[in-house]
Amino acid sequence: MLYIYIYMTKLISHQIHQSFSNMKMKEETLMEEKRVIKELEQGKELVSRLMNNLKNPSSKESNMFLISGILRSYENSIVMMSLDQKTLKRSPETKRMDPSNNKKRRTSEKKTSEKVKICVGREQEGTSQFDDGFSWRKYGQKDIHGSKNPRGYYRCTHRFTRGCLAVKQVQKSDADPSCYEVKYLESHTCNGNFLLSTTKHSVSLSKEEERNRVPKLHHVREQSEDTIKHMKSEELMLSLDDLENKNEIFRTFSFSNPETENTTGWKILMENFTPTTTTESGITNELIYASSASVANSPTDDSCFSSLKNILDLSYDWSLM
DNA sequence: GATATTTGACCATA
DNA sequence: TATGGTCAAATATC
């Protein structure tokens, strides 16, 4: 994990430099770049402290504290990068909101991330919405051709206040009416919600579900060192789950890298980390990674994350943790 | 009154 | 032209 982080820190810094310089950036973007780099440097500092801790187990500094700090640094960098991207490229939504554009017209620009993932989950009592930690506002509903159930369209409540473009579509499954298919489009940029959401989600899990989730990671944990022994499987999964979101953000940040890659290992990794839980009612509650272009199919254009995937492939035994 | 949801209409795309 | 996604006025809820 440490090496991954160090690698990412270097990679991101490098890619930021490249990307920003290619865009003939203005002073504002330079400032933004500095903030991201500063954030990454802080993360790097935490990594070295953690490494130091591993060498000297007697150290009083909490490994968990350091790890969460590293993750936070990672989160912040991602958020800053995604926000920056949004400001660099004016979104179609912003164009629509432009008062000078009176006509009710939509642009043909496609969303930066189409299918991020599809979650199949249980219905929450009395509502068709899932508590995924984010607040959503319904803006439409459509009958879908060939489907018995209509599809609900939700956008982030903070769309106008924070410019968050996250959108999700919720549709009751035809096959299993007690399940809902949730498709997430665009990433949240309303800051600080990654951990919040996942934490909230973890709280909503029953103990039974918690128990069922642990064995999935068992083989990984067996290889872990003492430092990670106390880390809950939930946290491990959440980190990786977040990684999925970041994957999208990184991809949309579009660093070009023509190298080809082998995603098989990554897929296997993700499959192993897929939190599949079967509840007493027999309903499967799982997260299905369905990033169509980059994982299921052979990727064409790369991002720095493809390189990260390779790193993850290489460190699949997670012996560093 | 503020905020959220519903729903018919509009628009882009295949 | 059919379909899916979004808008926005009307309506409901807090």
Side-chain angles (χ1 to χ4, degrees):
Chain A
M1 182 176 171
L2 298 180
Y3 290 124
I4 291 169
Y5 190 85
I6 292 166
Y7 175 81
M8 281 187 61
T9 307
K10 286 181 181 173
L11 193 66
I12 292 168
S13 302
H14 175 70
Q15 298 281 20
I16 288 167
H17 272 293
Q18 270 196 333
S19 180
F20 276 93
S21 61
N22 287 343
M23 285 187 262
K24 297 178 181 177
M25 57 211 151
K26 295 173 187 175
E27 216 160 304
E28 281 177 27
T29 52
L30 270 167
M31 290 292 290
E32 195 63 31
E33 179 193 354
K34 281 178 187 168
R35 280 201 291 271
V36 175
I37 290 170
K38 192 180 171 189
E39 191 67 42
L40 290 167
E41 278 169 354
Q42 281 175 2
K44 200 174 162 185
E45 166 66 21
L46 289 170
V47 169
S48 55
R49 276 160 63 187
L50 181 57
M51 286 175 90
N52 201 38
N53 263 15
L54 298 179
K55 287 177 193 164
N56 308 300
S58 56
S59 170
K60 287 179 181 175
E61 199 161 20
S62 160
N63 287 337
M64 281 309 298
F65 173 77
L66 291 171
I67 289 170
S68 62
I70 292 164
L71 287 171
R72 199 180 315 113
S73 148
Y74 178 34
E75 298 283 346
N76 293 342
S77 307
I78 299 297
V79 169
M80 279 191 260
M81 285 166 70
S82 60
L83 281 173
D84 187 79
Q85 187 196 11
K86 292 280 191 282
T87 58
L88 287 171
K89 192 179 83 178
R90 203 173 174 205
S91 70
E93 186 66 27
T94 319
K95 285 178 191 169
R96 273 201 299 275
M97 294 305 152
D98 191 343
S100 62
N101 187 8
N102 286 331
K103 284 201 172 180
K104 206 176 169 184
R105 181 170 291 277
R106 293 185 191 99
T107 67
S108 59
E109 255 182 283
K110 285 187 178 174
K111 288 194 175 283
T112 50
S113 57
E114 291 169 1
K115 285 183 186 175
V116 178
K117 57 186 169 185
I118 299 169
C119 297
V120 182
R122 281 171 303 154
E123 183 178 2
Q124 217 169 53
E125 300 80 19
T127 165
S128 60
Q129 281 212 58
F130 300 95
D131 183 6
D132 53 12
F134 293 103
S135 54
W136 300 95
R137 177 170 177 172
K138 190 173 188 177
Y139 66 89
Q141 179 166 308
K142 279 293 271 191
D143 286 324
I144 300 301
H145 183 71
S147 295
K148 284 183 243 172
N149 303 303
R151 178 179 296 165
Y153 297 88
Y154 300 83
R155 63 181 163 222
C156 181
T157 310
H158 308 300
R159 162 155 292 205
F160 303 114
T161 54
R162 299 184 207 171
C164 180
L165 297 176
V167 166
K168 75 170 177 178
Q169 299 172 358
V170 180
Q171 189 176 6
K172 191 184 256 187
S173 169
D174 287 340
D176 187 351
S178 62
C179 291
Y180 284 80
E181 292 174 7
V182 185
K183 184 157 75 178
Y184 291 91
L185 302 153
E186 297 283 344
S187 303
H188 280 275
T189 55
C190 48
N191 209 351
N193 280 3
F194 282 127
L195 289 175
L196 182 70
S197 68
T198 49
T199 306
K200 208 167 174 182
H201 178 63
S202 72
V203 170
S204 68
L205 287 172
S206 68
K207 295 203 171 177
E208 177 67 26
E209 287 170 326
E210 196 77 49
R211 274 196 299 276
N212 285 332
R213 296 174 76 154
V214 173
K216 274 270 172 189
L217 289 165
H218 193 61
H219 67 288
V220 175
R221 298 178 71 196
E222 276 177 347
Q223 297 172 23
S224 305
E225 290 186 5
D226 288 345
T227 51
I228 204 73
K229 272 181 184 170
H230 304 298
M231 201 176 191
K232 290 174 187 172
S233 59
E234 181 75 19
E235 286 162 345
L236 273 170
M237 286 186 284
L238 295 181
S239 304
L240 283 160
D241 190 37
D242 285 349
L243 219 52
E244 299 276 358
N245 291 317
K246 288 160 186 71
N247 189 346
E248 286 303 318
I249 292 166
F250 273 96
R251 192 182 305 124
T252 57
F253 208 72
S254 72
F255 304 118
S256 99
N257 177 6
E259 290 171 27
T260 54
E261 61 177 328
N262 175 13
T263 58
T264 314
W266 173 256
K267 280 162 73 179
I268 293 166
L269 177 66
M270 292 317 300
E271 280 161 18
N272 280 295
F273 276 93
T274 297
T276 304
T277 55
T278 305
T279 63
E280 285 162 347
S281 59
I283 298 162
T284 303
N285 181 20
E286 59 185 346
L287 285 167
I288 302 165
Y289 189 79
S291 182
S292 51
S294 62
V295 175
N297 306 327
S298 64
T300 51
D301 58 76
D302 289 13
S303 65
C304 66
F305 230 86
S306 64
S307 306
L308 174 64
K309 283 178 188 176
N310 289 337
I311 295 297
L312 285 166
D313 290 346
L314 293 171
S315 56
Y316 179 45
D317 64 1
W318 292 78
S319 55
L320 297 170
M321 298 185 81

